[in-house]
Amino acid sequence: MSERFDCHYCRDPLQGKKYVQKEGRHCCVKCFDKFCANTCIECKKPIGADSKELHFKNRYWHDSCFRCFKCYTSLVNEPFMLRENNKVWCSNCTAAEDAPRCKGCFKAIIAGDQNVEYKKMVWHKDCFTCSQCKQVIGSGSFFPKGDDFYCVSCHEHKFAKTCAKCKNPITSGGLTYQEQPWHSECFICSNCKKQLGGKRFTAVEDQFYCVECYKECVAKKCAGCKNPITGFGRGTSVVNYEDESWHDYCFKCTKCARGLANKRFVCHNGKIYCAECPKRL
C-alpha cells in the first residue's frame, strides 16, 4: 500500500493535484492561500499560490501591486526606493521629490534643468522673470528689490535717478552736485568737454568750467597783475571798483605799494592811492 500524500492542513489527498511546499510541509492551493500566503503590503490581500510575489526586506507585494507610489509605473525589474510608509518610488520620482523646488512654479528642478540661483533660492531659467514686465531674465543682469526682481530696463525706469542734463536714468556711478544727480560723462566743462568729477571747477550761470578754461574764457583779469582772478589758491578774495577787479593782494597804493584791501583809498587820474600819498603828489 502506497504512502498517503495529503494536505498538511485539510488532509485532502494531493496525488495528481497542484500543491505548494512551504517550510517542509505540503498543502493544497486553497489551504496555502488561507494559512500560508504572505499579505501584500500594498493591497493588504493574500498573495495566492497562483500569483507572482515580489519581496524586499521582509515586505511582500503582488507583482501587479509593485508600482511607483507617485506615478504608478510598474517597478518589476526596475530600480526603486523604499520610502516612508513602506511606499516604493521609481528612481525618476525619487529624484524629483528630493530635488530643489523652483521659487517660481514650485516644481522640482531636476538634474540637467537650466536654472538660476540667488541667495539660496533657485528658479527654472524660464521662471526667473522681471516683476514689472514679466519677461524672462534667465541668466541676464537683474536688480533685486525686496522679494521682487527687475530687468535692467524696468529698474532704470522705476527706480534709477534721472540725470539733470540728459534726463536719462543713472544706472551706475554718477555724481551729485547741489542735490542733483548727473552721469559722470554729462558733468563736463562747457568749453573743453573734459569730465569734472573729482576735479576743481567753477559754475557760471548754469555752466561748468574746469580751472584752465575758467581762467582763459570766463575769469576777469586783475587790473593790477593782468592775470585771471579764479578764486582758487592765493587771492580768493576779490576787490571790485567801478568796472575793474583786483586780486586782494594786487589792490595796493600805486605810490607806496601798501595793500588797500578793506582800507580807505583814493582814485586819482585812474590810479589807486592810499589816503596819504595823493597829498605828496
Side-chain angles (χ1 to χ4, degrees), residues 19-260:
Y19 68 92
V20 180
Q21 182 177 353
K22 186 171 183 180
E23 298 177 354
R25 297 170 180 174
H26 303 87
C27 56
C28 65
V29 171
K30 184 178 179 181
C31 288
F32 176 85
D33 291 350
K34 184 177 181 180
F35 299 110
C36 303
N38 293 312
T39 301
C40 175
I41 199 170
E42 185 64 27
C43 69
K44 311 304 180 185
K45 295 179 180 180
I47 304 173
D50 293 328
S51 300
K52 290 184 178 180
E53 178 184 275
L54 298 174
H55 63 90
F56 178 73
K57 291 186 176 181
N58 296 321
R59 296 169 178 84
Y60 302 88
W61 294 263
H62 293 102
D63 64 340
S64 59
C65 292
F66 196 62
R67 295 178 176 274
C68 174
F69 172 74
K70 196 77 173 176
C71 68
Y72 304 109
T73 300
S74 174
L75 295 177
V76 177
N77 298 322
E78 298 293 337
F80 66 91
M81 176 73 70
L82 185 65
R83 296 175 68 93
E84 59 274 5
N85 298 322
N86 290 318
K87 300 299 183 181
V88 286
W89 294 55
C90 67
S91 56
N92 289 336
C93 289
T94 299
E97 185 71 12
D98 294 339
R101 297 280 164 175
C102 172
K103 183 75 173 174
C105 68
F106 303 106
K107 294 180 180 179
I109 298 176
I110 61 177
D113 285 349
Q114 290 186 309
N115 61 79
V116 177
E117 293 186 30
Y118 178 73
K119 288 189 174 180
K120 297 182 179 180
M121 296 182 289
V122 63
W123 293 258
H124 291 108
K125 184 178 179 181
D126 291 341
C127 292
F128 191 61
T129 59
C130 174
S131 299
Q132 182 77 12
C133 68
K134 308 306 179 184
Q135 295 296 309
V136 174
I137 297 174
S139 57
S141 298
F142 65 92
F143 292 89
K145 285 286 183 180
D147 294 331
D148 295 325
F149 300 90
Y150 296 89
C151 64
V152 174
S153 177
C154 288
H155 183 268
E156 287 179 358
H157 289 92
K158 191 174 180 67
F159 299 105
K161 295 180 180 179
T162 301
C163 176
K165 182 177 182 180
C166 70
K167 308 305 179 185
N168 291 321
I170 301 173
T171 58
S172 63
L175 52 86
T176 301
Y177 175 69
Q178 291 187 343
E179 298 184 355
Q180 288 187 312
W182 300 71
H183 288 113
S184 297
E185 58 270 24
C186 291
F187 196 69
I188 58 176
C189 174
S190 297
N191 186 59
C192 69
K193 310 306 180 186
K194 290 181 180 178
Q195 293 187 20
L196 297 176
K199 300 177 181 178
R200 294 192 302 174
F201 66 91
T202 298
V204 180
E205 297 179 353
D206 297 328
Q207 299 294 316
F208 305 107
Y209 297 91
C210 65
V211 174
E212 295 304 318
C213 289
Y214 180 75
K215 288 179 180 179
E216 295 297 325
C217 306
V218 182
K220 294 180 179 180
K221 301 300 187 290
C222 176
C225 68
K226 309 304 180 186
N227 290 321
I229 302 173
T230 63
F232 302 119
R234 184 180 174 220
T236 55
S237 298
V238 180
V239 177
N240 295 300
Y241 177 68
E242 294 186 348
D243 294 329
E244 293 187 302
S245 300
W246 290 259
H247 295 107
D248 60 349
Y249 55 82
C250 291
F251 191 64
K252 52 191 177 183
C253 177
T254 305
K255 185 171 180 63
C256 69
R258 184 202 301 181
L260 297 176

